[in-house]
Amino acid sequence: VLENFSGDIEVSGWDRNLVRVQADHPSRTRINVAVRPATVVVSAVTRIRLPDLDNRRRAQAEYKKALEEIELPSRVSYQLTVPRWMGLALSGLNSSISVAGVEGDVTAEVVNGSVDLRGGRGTIRLGSVNGEVEATGVQGSVEASSVSEGITLRDVTLVDPACFTAY
């Protein structure tokens, strides 16, 4: 699972049972990787320390720790290398997503940006509000959507023709 505020996401599959996460980000941004049974969750956060407000802070002592730091989303570009069999759940607000060489389920959704999938088997869900959606070499059930741009599907093998939705 990868949810990105801003920055591109590039994923490629390999024949190892390891997940490699590379991230290009500002120095104050911290990348968190949580490994759970059957799931790897990647997230990023930038902590900003607020200026001391002296008198107002003293009056609100019970809230002091909450007011000292805030967490903000940050621009991070990710390059992930995952086992080919691994299913993916990727999303971004201001991001483009590119996935190649995987054979598991893929969900890739963005608000502002494009989605490009090369390969994938099983349940495929691709979507963009403001961007193009493209899939090549996909097998399984396919759902593809784009509000403002086109959808291009090439070399798609459907398990069942009723398992295809494009809007």
Side-chain angles (χ1 to χ4, degrees), residues 16-62:
R16 300 174 70 184
N17 284 328
L18 298 171
V19 174
R20 180 174 59 192
V21 178
Q22 296 173 291
D24 181 19
H25 58 85
S27 61
R28 294 187 338 190
T29 299
R30 189 165 92 208
I31 306 299
N32 300 310
V33 178
V35 179
R36 300 181 185 142
T39 306
V40 177
V41 180
V42 180
S43 62
V45 65
T46 300
R47 291 186 181 196
I48 304 294
R49 181 173 284 286
L50 297 175
D52 189 6
L53 302 175
D54 288 331
N55 294 334
R56 283 183 273 167
R57 285 271 171 97
R58 288 188 192 115
Q60 299 176 356
E62 67 272 11

Side-chain angles (χ1 to χ4, degrees), residues 15 83-88 99-107 117-126 135-143 155-159:
D15 294 323
R84 290 187 196 287
W85 54 263
M86 181 177 274
L88 301 170
V99 179
V102 299
E103 298 173 353
D105 296 342
V106 177
T107 298
L117 173 64
R118 307 280 181 213
R121 294 183 187 165
T123 302
I124 308 297
R125 290 190 177 98
L126 310 174
T136 303
V138 174
Q139 296 178 6
S141 64
V142 178
E143 179 181 317
D155 191 24
V156 173
T157 304
L158 300 174
V159 174

Side-chain angles (χ1 to χ4, degrees), residues 79-101:
Q79 298 83 39
L80 304 178
T81 309
V82 301
R84 290 187 196 287
W85 54 263
M86 181 177 274
L88 301 170
L90 310 167
S91 65
L93 182 60
N94 296 303
S95 303
S96 288
I97 298 175
S98 174
V99 179

Side-chain angles (χ1 to χ4, degrees), residues 149-164:
E149 298 287 335
I151 299 170
T152 304
L153 303 173
R154 293 184 186 95
D155 191 24
V156 173
T157 304
L158 300 174
V159 174
D160 176 358
C163 296
F164 172 73

Side-chain angles (χ1 to χ4, degrees), residues 7-8 92-97 109-116 127-133 145-146 148-149:
D8 295 338
L93 182 60
N94 296 303
S95 303
S96 288
I97 298 175
E109 301 173 320
V110 297
V111 176
N112 296 306
S114 61
V115 175
D116 183 19
S128 176
V129 175
N130 295 307
E132 194 170 346
V133 173
S145 66
S146 178
S148 66
E149 298 287 335

